[in-house]
Amino acid sequence: MISWNLPTIVAVPIALGIGGLIGAWHGFWIAYVKIPAFIVTLAGMLLFRGLTMIVLDGRTIAPFPDNFRTISSSYLPDFLNGGENIHLLTLVLGILAVIVYVFLQIQSRNQSKQLDQTVESDGLFYAKIILISLVLLAFTQRLTAYAGVPYILLILIVLIFGYTFFTNRCNCQPQMCTFCQITLCTFYSKIVSRCFIR
């Protein structure tokens, strides 16, 4: 992006693709060769850090373009115009998040009951929902009083839901499933590490 003057919209997908290939390489060694994940991760880290030192000759590449740095340091604009002291869009998103959370928990509990599965007691269930909802609302209040929802938080939420959806819906062979999960983990870690570069 800096050395070749690539636009951010091109450089980021290339970097993520390379991260996915690295994840596939790690997944191969873990799933098929049966090398422990910790060893593969540590060896990969040492290998790629060494390659980085060789390729960059020990220097840091900077400065990154402003539109790239925006990913990690900017906030979602307040489209609802809440004013100076309150970020109204963040408040609405936080309340929607609590409503969706409560709905999904109740739906999951009802499905478990229909399948005659063991569920926690009513008191414990509602206490859990209330506690987590209060934590979400407190977090929303902090974001609302500051500058709103950072873009990096939106990216992390999408990644968490994407990874959770994929790992819960994976119906492939155990080795392939491990391979896919490791590839996704490495891919997501590359996204997160790139987003925190300022």
Side-chain angles (χ1 to χ4, degrees):
M1 180 166 34
I2 295 171
S3 302
W4 295 344
N5 295 320
L6 290 174
T8 302
I9 194 107
V10 173
V12 169
I14 290 172
L16 295 178
I18 292 170
L21 291 174
I22 292 169
W25 178 248
H26 285 179
F28 167 77
W29 289 103
I30 294 167
Y32 293 106
V33 184
K34 303 287 190 230
I35 297 175
F38 175 76
I39 302 300
V40 172
T41 304
L42 184 61
M45 182 191 72
L46 293 173
L47 172 72
F48 291 113
R49 277 227 175 135
L51 287 174
T52 302
M53 293 294 287
I54 291 170
V55 169
L56 297 179
D57 203 23
R59 293 174 302 192
T60 301
I61 297 178
F64 284 95
D66 289 337
N67 57 358
F68 180 75
R69 286 184 285 151
T70 298
I71 296 170
S72 65
S73 60
S74 293
Y75 297 85
L76 195 63
D78 190 3
F79 299 114
L80 303 178
N81 298 324
E84 286 185 23
N85 298 330
I86 186 167
H87 199 273
L88 195 55
L89 179 63
T90 302
L91 183 62
V92 169
L93 290 175
I95 291 170
L96 283 174
V98 169
I99 291 169
V100 168
Y101 168 73
V102 170
F103 173 75
L104 290 176
Q105 288 297 309
I106 291 172
Q107 183 183 34
S108 174
R109 180 180 170 87
N110 289 339
Q111 287 175 351
S112 296
K113 282 182 176 179
Q114 287 175 353
L115 297 172
D116 291 329
Q117 295 176 342
T118 306
V119 294
E120 65 254 350
S121 67
D122 289 343
L124 183 62
F125 175 73
Y126 291 116
K128 178 183 79 169
I129 284 183
I130 290 170
L131 181 65
I132 292 176
S133 296
L134 288 175
V135 169
L136 282 172
L137 289 173
F139 183 64
T140 299
Q141 188 276 330
R142 296 297 297 169
L143 290 176
T144 301
Y146 186 58
V149 178
Y151 285 125
I152 188 67
L153 179 61
L154 294 175
I155 293 170
L156 289 176
I157 289 170
V158 168
L159 293 177
I160 289 168
F161 280 113
Y163 183 74
T164 303
F165 177 80
F166 179 78
T167 55
N168 288 337
R169 303 283 192 276
C170 186
N171 294 325
C172 50
Q173 296 175 352
Q175 289 178 325
M176 192 61 190
C177 195
T178 303
F179 178 77
C180 293
Q181 288 175 355
I182 293 164
T183 302
L184 273 176
C185 282
T186 306
F187 181 73
Y188 288 157
S189 70
K190 296 298 178 195
I191 293 174
V192 172
S193 66
R194 295 296 176 242
C195 288
F196 281 109
I197 294 173
R198 292 186 186 262

